[in-house]
Amino acid sequence: MPVPETSLMNRLTALCKRRGFIFQASEIYGGLNGFWDFGPLGVQLKNNLRDAWWHDMVDCPPLGPDGKPLSIVGIDTSIIQHPQTWVASGHVGGFSDPMRKCPGCGHFVRGDHLWDILARECEWLSSLLQEFTPIAGGIDTSRLLKWARGKGKKLAPNLALVKNPEVTLSFLATRINGQPDAPPEMMELVRYLATAQLHETGLQDPCPRCGAPLGEPVAVSLMFETYTGIEKSNSSKVYLRPETAQGIFLQYKNVLDSSRVKPPFGIAQVGKSFRNEVTPRNFIFRSREFEQMEMEFFCPPEDGMMWYEFWVNERLRWWEAQGVAKENLFRHVIADADLSHYSKGTSDIEYKYPFTAPGFGELEGVAYRTDYDLKQHQEHSKTNLEYIDQEHTPPRRYIPHVVEPASGLTRGVLVLLCEAYQYDESRASPEWLKLKPSLAPIKVGVFPLMNKDGMPEVAEKLYLDLRRTYTCQYDAKQSIGKRYARMDEAGTPFCITVDGDTLANHTVTIRNRDTAQQDKVALDKVRAYLAEKFAA
């Protein structure tokens, strides 16, 4: 059944708060933009996704092209590393975004995201475009003037059209009348409406909040700075890591020397990263504190492109195995001209988020980083990071090349929630989550139909038994329909009800979340029933 007109993201955000998946950080103090807290259900879902990734990457890695299991080990490195780490990696010198400040309201906007923000999130532009109507090669001046003197004053008080409507519209009319066969596209149109002194300034780019002309782009570092020790000085300045990868590169030699691994092999890590995003947005999609699931795969130089293709395909397959529909995933191959200077190939695994549809947005990146990182750290640390291949004839030394599948754990949770969201008015709760059973925060709900006649005692005993294997919740409050609704909203795949038949013939009723079908199952067969369902 189609979702009501209210945007899916608004409904999903509300559901996440109501059911305890995700809360705004520091909400009682008004919140802190770009930071989010995971509630009881959210942290369980996140941990389940993390554990699935760890199992499939470290505990039971995939089979390689030769049909043999890959060698991948885990690591957990510090959030704060030696500051030279970020000099060597290039983050201190080049990890920044082009930011533009609005002189009218003080708002900062990422220069490379401006038009996407204007098109998708700008309230005044959405309102204005409904009013603009080209007429016989001209413009509907009266409608635009009415908007400027009414809605415009409230929505975009610093827009040139609002502050100087006659002058702005005269510039636009001259442009349209002068090129009747080439009407302006949206970007040019908006620039005209944002420009009050065309001949002095040229066309201006407007602020998405107030409409004022934005300042020139300025590079702003994305790394959070802090200090170690007692004194705050340049010598004690350190950074919160913007990615987990560098910690892996710093410990590559220790792992190689202490573990029974050799190229090709991987080092995996899950952990927090921090980026000072000036415009965090779209719920938990772009935030300032987030978690990553990264793996650096070290291989001989001649095999780099082969492993790059292998990991792109493997990661696409893995996301499908977590319940993400194939048609909602897309491989975006980054053009050579847009590659990072260290990369010989990068593909973004993208998902069709509600706020990007019908387009896609990044979920995971797979980058062939060559030997750039290890070479940089070898140069800056003066530590030899070469691998001696004794099995090669003749023996050789080389710095391994690296393929990096880097996934956002936080974004992965958002993808699972978007993919699982269902709307069906025939249910007690029209909103429910069709999560893969193994990832669901609560696997089994256990209910006594009524709080009498021995039903609670049997239900509690069953709950205490099942909780040793499955994440369970015991619920004896309100009607059975409302309890089913609560479990559906939490994404719980199976609910077991102890009823009158349980006492009479030792059976329980097990309800399937997806189909709402109810099966009668013998009490001593419940474990076997659930094991079969979760194995499917």
Side-chain angles (χ1 to χ4, degrees):
M1 183 175 295
V3 178
E5 291 185 4
T6 306
S7 78
L8 173 55
M9 284 310 301
N10 287 342
R11 298 179 67 86
L12 186 58
T13 303
L15 176 64
C16 284
K17 180 178 181 181
R18 185 175 75 251
R19 290 313 319 271
F21 280 93
I22 301 167
F23 306 126
Q24 175 72 53
S26 308
E27 184 175 344
I28 64 172
Y29 289 105
L32 189 58
N33 193 23
F35 295 90
W36 300 89
D37 294 338
F38 285 80
L41 293 183
V43 71
Q44 193 68 51
L45 176 61
K46 179 163 66 75
N47 288 348
N48 289 346
L49 180 60
R50 176 203 64 194
D51 293 347
W53 184 89
W54 192 265
H55 176 270
D56 294 339
M57 293 292 271
V58 180
D59 297 337
C60 185
L63 302 181
D66 60 359
K68 297 180 180 179
L70 299 180
S71 177
I72 301 177
V73 297
I75 198 171
D76 184 7
T77 64
S78 175
I79 286 173
I80 295 177
Q81 300 284 354
H82 192 287
Q84 277 298 114
T85 300
W86 310 109
V87 175
S89 68
H91 284 81
V92 170
F95 193 59
S96 60
D97 277 341
M99 304 308 303
R100 303 181 68 177
K101 184 178 181 179
C102 173
C105 65
H107 180 55
F108 282 91
V109 184
R110 273 188 64 170
D112 54 343
H113 288 177
L114 172 61
W115 289 98
D116 179 62
I117 294 171
L118 283 166
R120 295 180 180 275
E121 302 174 23
C122 180
E123 186 179 0
W124 67 256
L125 180 56
S126 176
S127 172
L128 177 57
L129 291 180
Q130 295 177 40
E131 302 296 332
F132 185 84
T133 307
I135 300 177
I139 57 174
D140 192 340
T141 303
S142 61
R143 286 187 66 180
L144 292 176
L145 284 172
K146 181 179 179 182
W147 182 89
R149 293 164 180 163
K151 294 180 179 179
K153 285 189 175 182
K154 179 181 179 181
L155 298 176
N158 294 322
L159 186 69
L161 174 64
V162 175
K163 299 181 74 173
N164 299 289
E166 290 80 6
V167 173
T168 304
L169 290 174
S170 70
F171 289 141
L172 180 59
T174 300
R175 160 65 179 85
I176 292 176
N177 294 333
Q179 303 178 54
D181 297 329
E185 296 181 350
M186 188 196 78
M187 188 180 295
E188 185 184 2
L189 169 66
V190 173
R191 281 176 165 156
Y192 266 99
L193 298 178
T195 304
Q197 299 176 346
L198 178 64
H199 302 301
E200 294 183 20
T201 64
L203 290 177
Q204 301 286 288
D205 293 335
C207 169
R209 289 193 177 178
C210 74
L214 291 169
E216 292 299 312
V218 177
V220 176
S221 174
L222 296 181
M223 287 198 293
F224 285 103
E225 297 178 359
T226 187
Y227 298 87
T228 59
I230 299 174
E231 293 185 351
K232 292 185 177 181
S233 64
N234 284 335
S235 63
S236 63
K237 183 166 65 175
V238 292
Y239 304 92
L240 301 187
R241 66 184 180 195
E243 63 179 27
T244 64
Q246 297 306 318
I248 296 176
F249 293 128
L250 297 189
Q251 295 299 343
Y252 150 79
K253 188 175 187 301
N254 279 334
V255 171
L256 192 65
D257 292 345
S258 63
S259 305
R260 296 176 61 84
V261 293
K262 62 181 180 179
F265 77 99
I267 303 177
Q269 177 169 212
V270 178
K272 289 274 184 91
S273 294
F274 305 83
R275 295 183 184 178
N276 189 24
E277 297 283 357
V278 180
T279 54
R281 63 189 190 276
N282 294 324
F283 199 25
I284 59 174
F285 176 77
R286 188 179 298 282
S287 53
R288 291 173 169 140
E289 177 181 340
F290 54 96
E291 286 186 76
Q292 292 181 286
M293 305 181 294
E294 290 194 306
M295 191 273 293
E296 307 302 323
F297 196 75
F298 301 89
C299 64
E302 63 272 16
D303 295 338
M305 288 304 296
M306 181 269 288
W307 285 114
Y308 164 62
E309 289 296 329
F310 171 87
W311 281 112
V312 170
N313 294 324
E314 175 61 26
R315 297 306 302 150
L316 280 166
R317 182 204 64 76
W318 188 84
W319 282 110
E320 290 178 38
Q322 307 317 304
V324 182
K326 187 174 184 177
E327 61 269 21
N328 288 336
L329 293 170
F330 174 71
R331 176 184 180 180
H332 174 205
V333 180
I334 306 301
D336 290 347
D338 298 326
L339 287 174
S340 299
H341 60 90
Y342 54 75
S343 175
K344 285 186 67 175
T346 297
S347 290
D348 286 343
I349 295 174
E350 298 185 337
Y351 176 75
K352 189 185 293 183
Y353 299 94
F355 46 83
T356 61
F360 296 76
E362 186 181 354
L363 166 60
E364 174 167 353
V366 181
Y368 176 18
R369 302 178 69 119
T370 65
D371 56 1
Y372 171 80
D373 298 277
L374 290 180
K375 275 188 173 179
Q376 285 293 104
H377 290 302
Q378 177 173 266
E379 177 184 345
H380 283 75
S381 70
K382 310 305 180 186
T383 301
N384 186 354
L385 298 180
E386 289 181 318
Y387 172 70
I388 304 174
D389 186 358
Q390 301 283 7
E391 297 179 5
H392 188 269
T393 305
R396 61 171 179 165
R397 294 173 175 265
Y398 64 85
I399 292 183
H401 280 213
V402 175
V403 177
E404 175 194 73
S407 178
L409 174 55
T410 313
R411 282 191 183 176
V413 172
L414 179 59
V415 165
L416 294 182
L417 290 169
C418 291
E419 189 73 12
Y421 184 89
Q422 308 289 317
Y423 190 89
D424 185 350
E425 289 183 345
S426 69
R427 292 191 176 221
S429 171
E431 296 177 297
W432 61 286
L433 297 177
K434 192 176 181 180
L435 292 164
K436 181 181 179 182
S438 62
L439 296 175
I442 303 170
K443 303 293 190 295
V444 181
V446 181
F447 316 142
L449 181 62
M450 293 182 289
N451 282 313
K452 61 180 183 178
D453 300 333
M455 296 181 199
E457 290 76 8
V458 176
E460 287 180 6
K461 182 179 179 181
L462 179 61
Y463 162 72
L464 291 173
D465 174 55
L466 294 177
R467 69 195 284 268
R468 295 179 299 160
T469 306
Y470 305 101
T471 307
C472 298
Q473 187 170 102
Y474 179 86
D475 192 351
K477 295 181 179 180
Q478 297 185 301
S479 69
I480 194 68
K482 289 184 177 179
R483 283 180 270 176
Y484 284 154
R486 284 197 290 270
M487 289 294 100
D488 284 352
E489 288 180 346
T492 305
F494 302 104
C495 291
I496 304 173
T497 301
V498 173
D499 51 28
D501 289 344
T502 308
L503 304 177
N505 53 29
H506 303 289
T507 62
V508 294
T509 301
I510 303 184
R511 175 183 177 271
N512 184 294
R513 174 200 64 200
D514 298 347
T515 63
Q517 177 182 330
Q518 299 186 4
D519 294 332
K520 285 289 186 181
V521 178
L523 195 55
D524 61 356
K525 301 295 184 184
V526 168
R527 275 191 164 275
Y529 177 95
L530 292 175
E532 180 182 350
K533 294 294 184 182
F534 280 105

